[in-house]
Amino acid sequence: MLILRKTNESYNEGLEIMKIRILVTYNILKESFTEAPDNYEFILPSAPTFTKAEIIERLPECDGLLSMFNFPIDKDIIDAGGSRLKIISNFGVGFNNVDIEYAKSKGIVVTNTPDPVVEPTAELAFALMSALSRRVTECNRKLQTHDAIRWGVMENLGTGLYNKTLGIVGETGAGKTTTALACMNQVPD
């Protein structure tokens, strides 16, 4: 277990500042916590992730839980937080891994962090469109088989993305950013 603490020597002498403890279920980049207030303390696993049992053991001494989108936060975990647990924040867009109704019944706020994944999602969408249209994975797979790729001007062309129609479903941040990225890659007339 790794505990990240921020210290600030400028606190008034004799004034006790209440520490806010956040249990983080996954060992994410330590730089993620550099802008947190001085009285925040983050508990991260030494291994890639805490087990459910480890979370249940540590959560009673924490005010918040930062979970990953793929880790189920169920009734057992929420109950382990007792009356001290005030917030569950999901690292990612959704919260289908959190028992939201049960958390709300306990007075616990459930949030998510969609903004950090907007640009990577748009970039990945654009990369997948490019890879598909230019047959990148297909040609890569052919290079790795016994039936080696055939070379020739017309053999592995694929299709370009220029002058194609891009359909975006939804007005989410990722959709808007994908649109902006596609517009950025247009060749001016």
Side-chain angles (χ1 to χ4, degrees), residues 66-141:
L66 176 58
S67 66
M68 295 301 118
F69 60 89
N70 60 345
F71 195 98
I73 305 300
D74 59 15
K75 183 181 183 303
D76 296 336
I77 290 176
I78 294 169
D79 282 342
S83 62
R84 184 166 174 179
L85 184 63
K86 301 293 183 225
I87 187 168
I88 298 170
S89 184
N90 210 32
F91 190 79
V93 175
F95 9 64
N96 56 329
N97 60 311
V98 179
D99 188 338
I100 297 172
E101 292 307 314
Y102 190 69
K104 281 169 48 176
S105 76
K106 295 288 198 172
I108 299 168
V109 175
V110 179
T111 66
N112 62 2
T113 56
D115 292 342
V117 297
V118 168
E119 287 177 3
T121 300
E123 289 169 353
L124 182 58
F126 200 76
L128 289 171
M129 287 186 286
S130 296
L132 179 64
S133 69
R134 288 299 179 177
R135 301 170 54 194
V136 172
T137 54
E138 174 192 348
C139 291
N140 182 49
R141 205 171 18 255

Side-chain angles (χ1 to χ4, degrees), residues 162-173:
Y162 290 111
N163 296 319
K164 300 294 189 284
T165 301
L166 174 62
I168 303 291
V169 178
E171 289 290 319
T172 65

Side-chain angles (χ1 to χ4, degrees), residues 18-30:
M18 187 179 96
K19 286 284 183 192
I20 296 174
R21 300 187 88 200
I22 309 295
L23 184 66
V24 183
T25 64
Y26 193 82
N27 196 350
I28 61 177
L29 296 172
K30 312 306 177 274

Side-chain angles (χ1 to χ4, degrees), residues 26-40:
Y26 193 82
N27 196 350
I28 61 177
L29 296 172
K30 312 306 177 274
E31 294 81 10
S32 305
F33 306 105
T34 57
E35 294 184 29
D38 290 336
N39 64 322
Y40 275 62

